[in-house]
Amino acid sequence: MLFADDIVLIDKTRSGVNMRLEVWRQTLDSKGFKLSRTKIEYLECKFSDRTHDADVEVKLDARVIPNRAGFNYLGFIILGNREIDEDVAYRIRAGWMKWRLTFDVLCDRNVPLRLKGKFYRVVVRPAMLYGAECWPVKNSRLQKMRVAEMRMLRWMCGCTRRDRIKNEAIRDRVRVASVEDKMWESRLRWFRHVKRRSIDAPVRRCDGLDMESLRRGRGRPKKYWGEVIRHDMALLQFTEDMTLDRRVWRSRIKVEGW
């Protein structure tokens, strides 16, 4: 995959990418390294409907580099259209994979429900929520996470929806908080980490990018991370200056009990 330092490739033209790629190749050659001509690919993220020199091809020497619509990087599914539906589905599949590996424990009737819940919180849920702190999650995506988790919890308790047991009762049996609560907890924890970094840090530079000058398509703007964070903070009556006190912030965002 093609990467560059920090965020220098954000919203750059293909001509600019070619120039930087050539500099990168020359630098590696000077150090005795070789840049693979057959394995390298690139992903173009479209931040607006405008096209930047669409007739220009990204090349390494005379070889045209193929463009991909998305790829898996460190457990994340990154798409050029800025959507996260594939990533959400991938994390749900990862959760079910962990579930199958621990099926003998989670569905053993001789294991206490509280112990099953603790095992679920340690093994399965982290796999499902990996990277969720950066998701601009919508209600439809959140509903998919809820459905997947409740299927697992009901299976652990040995009951189905036909038993007409409320979700809250199931959670109370295994002492597992809702996936929605754990998601906003992880988002606010990550938000404090971002605010603690210096202004020159790459994550702060990404957070402060000005997209107002970019032309967007018709319809409602895409939901973004800052909008979700503001909603979480308004719901909990938080302010940004509270991030300066680590102890208070951690105690306030902690989901009680589970």
Side-chain angles (χ1 to χ4, degrees), residues 15 34-35 53 62 69 71 83-84 88 102 137 139 166 169 174 191 203 206 225 227 241 254 256:
S15 301
K34 295 293 183 181
L35 195 59
D53 53 7
F71 62 89
E83 294 292 346
I84 63 170
V88 173
T102 57
V137 64
N139 290 333
K166 293 184 178 181
V174 293
F191 175 71
V203 66
C206 288
W225 185 71
E227 180 182 349
D241 58 344
K254 180 67 177 178
E256 293 296 335

Side-chain angles (χ1 to χ4, degrees), residues 206-220:
C206 288
D207 184 45
L209 285 175
D210 182 15
M211 297 297 179
E212 294 181 358
S213 59
L214 298 178
R215 183 184 305 171
R216 65 175 180 84
R218 299 177 60 184
R220 186 192 185 281

Side-chain angles (χ1 to χ4, degrees), residues 135-171:
W135 287 351
V137 64
K138 298 179 182 177
N139 290 333
S140 58
R141 299 160 181 162
L142 185 59
Q143 181 62 18
K144 293 179 181 179
M145 300 290 288
R146 290 197 196 102
V147 171
E149 183 179 69
M150 287 311 305
R151 287 185 63 187
M152 296 178 186
L153 298 184
R154 288 181 181 275
W155 208 338
M156 287 165 52
C157 295
C159 55
T160 65
R161 298 190 63 178
R162 292 182 178 179
D163 298 321
R164 296 185 177 277
I165 303 176
K166 293 184 178 181
N167 293 344
E168 292 76 11
I170 296 293
R171 295 187 188 281

Side-chain angles (χ1 to χ4, degrees), residues 10 13 17 22 35 53 82 88 93 106 112 154 158 177 228 245:
I10 290 182
T13 63
V17 172
E22 179 61 23
L35 195 59
D53 53 7
R82 298 176 290 156
V88 173
R93 292 195 299 270
L106 295 177
R154 288 181 181 275
V228 180
D245 192 327

Side-chain angles (χ1 to χ4, degrees), residues 72-96:
N72 187 327
Y73 177 67
L74 297 179
F76 294 90
I77 303 297
I78 303 177
L79 301 177
N81 60 5
R82 298 176 290 156
E83 294 292 346
I84 63 170
D85 296 278
E86 288 293 330
D87 198 21
V88 173
Y90 180 77
R91 298 276 29 115
I92 292 176
R93 292 195 299 270
W96 277 113

Side-chain angles (χ1 to χ4, degrees), residues 31 46 87 111 124 128 144 179 190 234 236 248 253:
K31 302 297 183 180
K46 299 183 180 298
D87 198 21
V111 178
V124 180
M128 291 184 62
K144 293 179 181 179
V179 66
W190 175 247
L236 300 173
V248 172
I253 68 174

Side-chain angles (χ1 to χ4, degrees), residues 89-136:
Y90 180 77
R91 298 276 29 115
I92 292 176
R93 292 195 299 270
W96 277 113
M97 182 181 67
K98 292 294 184 182
W99 166 269
R100 295 186 186 96
L101 292 174
T102 57
F103 179 83
D104 293 339
V105 175
L106 295 177
C107 293
D108 189 345
R109 295 187 177 182
N110 296 322
V111 178
L113 290 178
R114 296 292 177 87
L115 182 58
K116 289 182 180 180
K118 183 180 295 186
F119 200 82
Y120 172 85
R121 298 196 304 268
V122 173
V123 177
V124 180
R125 191 165 63 186
M128 291 184 62
L129 297 183
Y130 178 77
E133 63 270 12
C134 299
W135 287 351

